């Protein structure tokens, strides 16, 4: 790993638990307003059999002083630059909500570089072929907070802390802008396996919309629907972790970029 990529690695990626030698890697991409620590429970459940990494986007937690990214593509490029192109350990991607779009764009970069991911888990997000005109990021703070509250993924007490709100709202608004202005650029379909997961009561995506991810890959495709809403993966953590484990067990030795 070069000094430049090593610096990017430290800036963009977090590891919470020690993995066993030779363990496959799972790189997790957070949702809008989310941070790497959201995936600590996943890392705790999968380690040491899986080397779990989580992306830390600019504008939050220990990167609070940095300007948030303006687009999904910018986030994907940032993570891509943090990956070590010389390590061939298989790498799977897991992205939830906005993170699903980041995972998809990252997978496109990896395949273009000749380092396709071993699998891509796309959670809580419709495929990019399904477009809606959404403008939450243009509204006031109250509108943004109301939208986040509908998804039941944030402690309501957080919205009562004005000082904390001032810290998190800029990154949250930037994330919503990135998602709502995202458009899939022309390009070939991917070839890597897609495992799509969603909640049956998610107000932001229906199972039918989640299935449209099958338009983006020529590789194997699976759709799994779980009870609960947008953050079903919290309520259904055991089942989601089991699905990840089962998928990774099926993957034979192969190539892939790793961090």
């Amino acid at each position: 790993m070069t000094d430049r990529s090593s610096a990017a690695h430290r800036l963009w990626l977090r590891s919470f638990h020690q993995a066993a030698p030779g363990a496959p890697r799972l790189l997790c991409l957070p949702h809008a307003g989310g941070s790497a620590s959201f995936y600590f429970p996943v890392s705790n459940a999968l380690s040491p059999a899986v080397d779990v990494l989580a992306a830390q986007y600019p504008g939050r937690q220990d990167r609070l002083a940095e300007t948030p990214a303006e687009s999904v593509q910018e986030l994907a490029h940032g993570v891509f630059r943090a990956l070590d192109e010389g390590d061939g350990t298989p790498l799977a991607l897991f992205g939830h909500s906005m993170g699903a779009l980041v995972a998809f764009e990252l997978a496109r970069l990896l395949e273009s570089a000749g380092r396709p991911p071993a699998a891509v888990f796309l959670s809580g997000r419709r495929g990019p072929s399904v477009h809606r005109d959404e403008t939450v990021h243009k509204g006031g703070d109250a509108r943004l907070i109301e939208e986040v509250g509908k998804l039941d993924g944030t402690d309501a007490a957080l919205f009562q802390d004005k000082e904390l709100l001032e810290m998190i709202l800029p990154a949250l608004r930037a994330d919503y802008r990135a998602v709502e202005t995202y458009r899939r650029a022309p390009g070939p379909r991917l070839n890597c396996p897609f495992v799509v997961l969603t909640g049956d009561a998610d107000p932001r995506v229906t199972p039918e919309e989640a299935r449209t991810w099958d338009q983006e890959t020529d590789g194997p495709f699976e759709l799994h629907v779980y009870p609960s809403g947008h953050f079903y993966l919290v309520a259904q953590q055991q089942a989601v972790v089991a699905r990840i484990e089962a998928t990774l067990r099926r993957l034979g030795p192969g190539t892939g970029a790793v961090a």
Side-chain angles (χ1 to χ4, degrees):
M1 185 181 292
T2 65
D3 291 342
R4 182 175 179 180
S5 61
S6 179
H9 171 93
R10 292 192 297 270
L11 188 65
W12 281 88
L13 302 176
R14 303 290 180 270
S15 177
F16 303 113
H17 300 89
Q18 186 71 31
R25 288 192 175 100
L26 178 71
L27 173 55
C28 300
L29 294 311
H31 55 281
S35 59
S37 59
F38 177 78
Y39 289 105
F40 181 92
V42 175
S43 176
N44 187 55
L46 289 171
S47 299
V50 178
D51 185 8
V52 179
L53 302 173
Q56 186 75 306
Y57 304 145
R60 63 215 73 202
Q61 292 188 335
D62 57 336
R63 302 188 68 184
L64 184 64
E66 298 177 51
T67 302
E70 295 186 357
S71 69
V72 167
Q73 289 85 349
E74 183 181 343
L75 290 169
H77 276 277
V79 177
F80 178 74
R81 288 191 294 269
L83 300 175
D84 179 7
E85 62 185 62
D87 191 331
T89 303
L91 173 73
L93 308 178
F94 186 105
H96 178 66
S97 197
M98 180 183 77
L101 295 178
V102 178
F104 173 61
E105 289 295 333
L106 179 57
R108 299 179 83 187
L109 291 171
L110 290 168
E111 280 213 356
S112 294
R115 299 180 280 139
V120 183
F121 297 89
L122 301 155
S123 167
R125 180 71 192 180
R126 61 189 182 272
S129 64
V130 181
H131 173 68
R132 295 189 191 132
D133 289 324
E134 296 172 317
T135 57
V136 173
H137 73 279
K138 295 181 179 180
D141 291 348
R143 175 71 181 91
L144 186 59
I145 292 170
E146 177 188 14
E147 179 65 22
V148 174
K150 290 178 181 177
L151 302 180
D152 293 329
T154 306
D155 186 347
L158 179 66
F159 299 130
Q160 308 305 317
D161 189 327
K162 292 184 178 180
E163 183 176 344
L164 191 54
L165 271 179
E166 290 179 359
M167 294 171 61
I168 67 174
L169 280 176
L172 181 61
R173 185 178 300 281
D175 288 352
Y176 265 78
R177 180 174 61 247
V179 171
E180 293 178 346
T181 60
Y182 172 78
R183 301 292 183 272
R184 180 199 189 282
R189 288 160 62 100
L190 296 175
N191 293 299
C192 51
F194 275 16
V195 181
V196 177
L197 310 95
T198 195
D200 62 359
D202 190 333
R204 306 303 298 155
V205 55
T206 66
E208 291 75 19
E209 289 173 330
R211 186 178 292 280
T212 62
W213 279 109
D214 67 358
Q215 301 175 23
E216 308 301 331
T217 185
D218 289 322
F221 179 87
E222 302 174 22
L223 172 65
H224 302 278
V225 182
Y226 299 89
S228 200
H230 189 65
F231 283 94
Y232 75 91
L233 69 172
V234 176
Q236 301 292 331
Q237 179 183 309
Q238 186 174 357
V240 171
V241 167
R243 175 58 53 193
I244 294 171
E245 287 179 322
T247 301
L248 295 182
R249 279 198 303 269
R250 290 202 306 267
L251 299 175
T255 60
V258 299

